[in-house]
Amino acid sequence: MTGRNGANFSPKIRSTLAERVGYLCSNPHCRIPTIGPSDHTSETAKRIGRAAHIHAAAKGGPRYSPQQTPEERRSAANGIFLCGNCAGMIDQNNGMEYPAEMLLDWKKIAEEEQKEAFISGNPIFSSIWRQKIHYLNYINIPRLELECLRNGYKIKNIPKITGWLYHMGQQTGIITASFQGILTRIDIASIDIEKIRYPDDNKYKDNLIGAIISFNENFRTKNGVHPPVLRGAPPTLTGDIEKDPHIYYENSFLKLIMPYDPRWITTSTAFGDFRPSSGQQKMTGLAVIKNVAGSNIIASPIVLGFPSNPLMEAFYGRTNNVRTISISEDDI
């Protein structure tokens, strides 16, 4: 990123590049904030962002363009704002894996998202979901498998599930452990439910449909079912929210309603999470938005779980070295 021959970005250009994307990393698979409070004093801020060159500042650098003039090389048009990690990543192997066209697309998307958030007052940009899960109590296997594929992970030997996940015995634990391990590795971009404002606003309502949301909230539960005794077919959802099992969460701006398919509940303990005696249960996870009606957001859960915390990690131990598990009947 350091330019030679006078092709460094000026402080004004660096600030402009950062401001145009709200000091967020422009990599659509990252989008982390790059500025925040210092850990040591209340008088300063911590910055991890960098103004990176799309075409290198000097000959021999990543994506160098001999057609550019020195003025063009140090202009805002030749810059993209990234976090420090992504700024270094795009220049590895002389930038061969990150061509200029890709970086220009990143920049365009990041600026358009920030413009939309600025105009509407609704920060509907995505960020990578990093919430740790203590245990999974709900796994929509086909949908989560699709997200894994999008992130470069193919889950091998997934057994055919014709009934309840709960009835698969030991294999349920193998499946749960496999997906929980992979969730610590893949980067799933999502919108934090707390960052959505006025979902029925036509300015961005259509952008929410199909989006993945993340959450870590206290949910109320309704129409929960008991663990099935027999290995029969799962109940058919009616589409009537008054009858179907669902969980819901409300804040000042919206009500999130998530009907769920009981066949994807993992254990008998998990069934209890969907029928708590208090009527509320803390849950974290991901869901895909299906519809927006007024302030109501209807979403289909992809994965739900009980959130981890430092006390749990200290008691149960951390799982930093997670290995991918091949799901197979032979493993039982």
Side-chain angles (χ1 to χ4, degrees), residues 132-312:
K132 294 181 180 179
I133 294 180
H134 181 54
Y135 66 82
L136 291 172
N137 52 22
Y138 183 95
I139 312 171
N140 185 329
I141 290 178
R143 192 64 176 81
L144 187 52
E145 183 186 8
L146 176 61
E147 290 305 317
C148 290
L149 283 171
R150 288 177 174 174
N151 284 272
Y153 280 80
K154 183 176 182 180
I155 314 303
K156 295 193 288 185
N157 304 322
I158 297 179
K160 185 177 181 180
I161 301 172
T162 57
W164 302 74
L165 180 59
Y166 164 76
H167 274 146
M168 298 190 69
Q170 285 181 297
Q171 209 161 21
T172 300
I174 295 172
I175 294 170
T176 302
S178 177
F179 280 110
Q180 188 159 345
I182 289 172
L183 282 171
T184 66
R185 295 185 175 190
I186 64 175
D187 293 334
I188 299 180
S190 65
I191 304 171
D192 189 329
I193 192 66
E194 290 298 320
K195 293 180 178 178
I196 297 178
R197 304 289 186 268
Y198 312 110
D200 57 335
D201 191 320
N202 288 329
K203 291 178 181 177
Y204 55 84
K205 177 179 177 180
D206 291 342
N207 293 332
L208 290 176
I209 306 297
I212 294 178
I213 54 172
S214 56
F215 41 82
N216 183 22
E217 309 292 347
N218 282 312
F219 283 85
R220 292 193 172 275
T221 64
K222 191 171 182 180
N223 303 331
V225 301
H226 291 277
V229 177
L230 302 176
R231 294 176 178 266
T236 302
L237 299 182
T238 66
D240 184 348
I241 200 65
E242 295 301 321
K243 298 178 181 179
D244 290 340
H246 65 276
I247 61 176
Y248 64 95
Y249 162 75
E250 293 182 85
N251 62 25
S252 302
F253 298 96
L254 57 85
K255 181 177 182 179
L256 172 62
I257 304 170
M258 293 196 293
Y260 60 88
D261 188 338
R263 66 175 167 158
W264 300 123
I265 297 176
T266 56
T267 64
S268 57
T269 300
F271 272 94
D273 292 339
F274 291 90
R275 300 181 68 256
S277 58
S278 65
Q280 295 188 66
Q281 179 66 36
K282 183 79 168 183
M283 290 192 186
T284 186
L286 299 165
V288 58
I289 296 178
K290 296 294 188 180
N291 191 26
V292 177
S295 61
N296 291 341
I297 293 179
I298 312 299
S300 177
I302 300 172
V303 59
L304 299 169
F306 190 79
S308 184
N309 59 52
L311 181 61
M312 286 182 178

Side-chain angles (χ1 to χ4, degrees), residues 62-63 89-100:
R63 298 168 300 275
M89 176 184 70
I90 66 169
D91 284 353
Q92 292 178 1
N93 299 321
N94 208 35
M96 292 180 61
E97 297 175 13
Y98 298 91

